Amino acid sequence: MASTKRGRAARIAALTSVLPGVLASSALAEPVKPPPIKSYPGDPGRLGDPASWRTPEFDRDSGLVSIGAEFAYAGGFAGGGMNIGVVDSGYFAGHVREHGSLDTGYKVGDRFVPVTASGGQTGPTSGLYDPAFNDSHGTHVSGTIAASRDGVGETQPDGPAANMHGVAFNSRLYMGNTHKTDGVFYGLLPPTATPAQTPDNAYLANVYRAVAKAKTANGKPIRLITTSWGSAPPTENYNTLEPPPGSPSTFGLNAAWRYLSTPDGVADANGNTVHWLNGAIRVARSGKLLQFTAGNAGVANPTARAATPYYRPDLEGRWYTTSGINPNIGRTFNADGSVLVPGQQEFNQCGVAKWSCITAPSRLINSTWVEVVDGVPQARYRAASGTSMAGPHSAAALTLIMQRFPYMTNTQALYTMFTTGRQNNTINDASGTAVPNPTRGQIVQVPDNRNGWHTVSLREAMNGPGQLLGPFNVDMRGYTDVWSNDISDVAAQARKQEDAAEAAAWKATKEARGWTHGLPADATEKDKFDFAVGTRREKARKSRVYTGSLTKRGDGTLFLAGNGTWHGTSTVLDGKLSVVGSHASPINVYGGTLGGSGRVAGNVNVSGGELRPGVTRREAERAANARVVPGNVLNAGGDVRIGRSGRLAVTVSGDSDYTSVRATGALALSGNLDLDVRGPLTRGAKLTIMSGGSISGTFRGLPQGSVVKADGHRFKVSYAGNSVTLTVIR
């Protein structure tokens, strides 16, 4: 730290060299800056004004207000630079304005990109709609995701009054074609299945691989692939895990999963030796995030494909499902026109997949359509209902969350969407019957069997996580950002109790069925399946962490502006963590910087790096968030320890304008003290830079009564009265 006349951090005592990323990284960090939103000349939508985005075009998708999409747009996020993968029945290129962008005059292939795949009995097939084997389903889904916000729409019989726009209307969409209509069965085929209802498993598995590996226009990866194709076969029923008395042996979610999860190379009940789901699972394990809709039968569980994380818990955080809500039932609004209660759950419930399930609008959703008139496909708009309409809403919303937090992993973005969901109108009673939800409209605390994490709320999601579901290891990658939500770990604590009950039931099952020491030699296929699922879930429970914790990595600054009540310790390794709200748990600093003007209720242990209390005016301006304001004092409700490799950095701008730490507990000092004197001081002025219940030790090389120099000033150091004071003597 070379000396300058003003504004430098003076080295006091024998300081170690500055750790990489401790001071410089925070100064260079930039807030998240999305590209400008592109729509149409005269669009009334303005940054910072959510209501201005609620145009007639916005309102024609009744789901947009239910998920709070206007709050994402007001923040500058409409999907620019993001790539979304879709597997469905193709999209119709004839919706020229909806599938392109103003930049290229709505050129076909500009934002909606067909992906070609082949395999099995199916030759190379484009992602474009083909009336020979496709229906309008893929066109409708793709419009909900990314149709242009163009203000007018296409000239066609439905007229401009039918025009709508997608959730992520600036994103690019990459479509893989199922080579079928939505009537194709994704599970066990009945004997009467037609060719149109019969999937080509090997081809479909390759479609997922092709979309995952598609070369994108901007070179950025496709992080999310959303699926809502197909129909449940009449051979399957998902209302129970095992077949109810008197029902076919193929009924029950377990039976459906056994069929879907047949290993490749082994013939399933329809004689297939390759199953499409295995291809999708491999894509998820490669790092992509997959979304499957829950199904429309109105039963207690989602489809088997949607329930995959229940049977393969290692896929939690990589695979999720979306159930539906009817926005026309139970929806209420705030005084500003934003949604309070999103609506009421409908179609298949989240059931056993509740920890990986969200809900989204699914009733009478207006979107792009294709209609064959005299043998010629024509662009249209139509309303449709089903979880196929919910899935694209949640997937596109998740894409906006990924854009908002470019430093988050796929799983972290997904969990941000989960933990900021707004509660729906009903929940289940003990018998599984829908009853009024007493906390409807509030932010979700714990997922339930009917609603899972309830409905996506971009209003809350734009402000960061609502909970930490375990260790949250975030690398800021040079960004400055603010998480202003209150953050807890309520759900993780609740899951601990739930898992304990499941563990007891599994133990009893193993004892009752003679599985304590493994499966017997004569075990049936069903026994093998049950044992495998139980063992996988047991392994997941043993590895699960039931307290939330935060680890700050990488250059950049993260401001915590809400009420943080998670139970695990927070750790600073690089960059800067600034507490400007309240923080209940202890904080350990091993590198980088801990700062802020809020309150840390737990202990603060600075083993390495530095404690730099306060928020400067420049930091507040860079954060560009009303919750971050300049301030000088960081309060600690516990002990504060500055270890030998740590330091306290204090900025002094005047006799009564300086940063400080006020602790309720003990102060333990053995590290270094940095002073940055930026303003004139009066001789005799006494600066209390630390206070606590007691003090042990001193700063390195600064015993009681010693004199230090900084920026042309001399200070006398005192540790009397349980405070560290600096008295100006020149």
Side-chain angles (χ1 to χ4, degrees), residues 86-92 126-131 133-141 175-184 228-230 370:
V86 184
V87 176
D88 215 295
S89 57
Y91 73 88
F92 179 49
S126 164
L128 290 174
Y129 161 87
D130 188 325
F133 46 77
N134 286 148
D135 59 1
S136 291
H137 192 269
T139 299
H140 195 278
V141 163
M175 171 74 82
N177 198 324
T178 61
H179 201 273
K180 298 290 180 180
T181 69
D182 190 48
V184 64
S228 54
W229 61 265
V370 55

Side-chain angles (χ1 to χ4, degrees), residues 9-10 219 240 242 431 525 549 561 630 638 701:
T240 57
E242 293 297 336
S431 65
E525 290 302 314
S549 63

Side-chain angles (χ1 to χ4, degrees), residues 65-69 71 339-340 342 358-359 397 401 416-423 441-443 453-464 485:
V65 71
S66 291
I67 65 172
F71 290 91
V339 73
L340 177 60
I358 196 92
T359 66
I401 295 169
T416 295
M417 180 170 74
F418 283 172
T419 60
T420 53
R422 190 172 288 277
Q423 293 187 50
Q442 298 181 21
I443 300 307
W453 291 98
H454 291 254
T455 294
V456 179
S457 174
L458 286 171
R459 180 176 196 165
E460 273 68 39
M462 291 294 105
N463 297 324
N485 284 327

Side-chain angles (χ1 to χ4, degrees), residues 471-483:
F472 200 109
N473 194 324
V474 61
D475 184 343
M476 296 298 295
R477 298 194 295 169
Y479 289 103
T480 284
D481 207 354
V482 183
W483 294 355

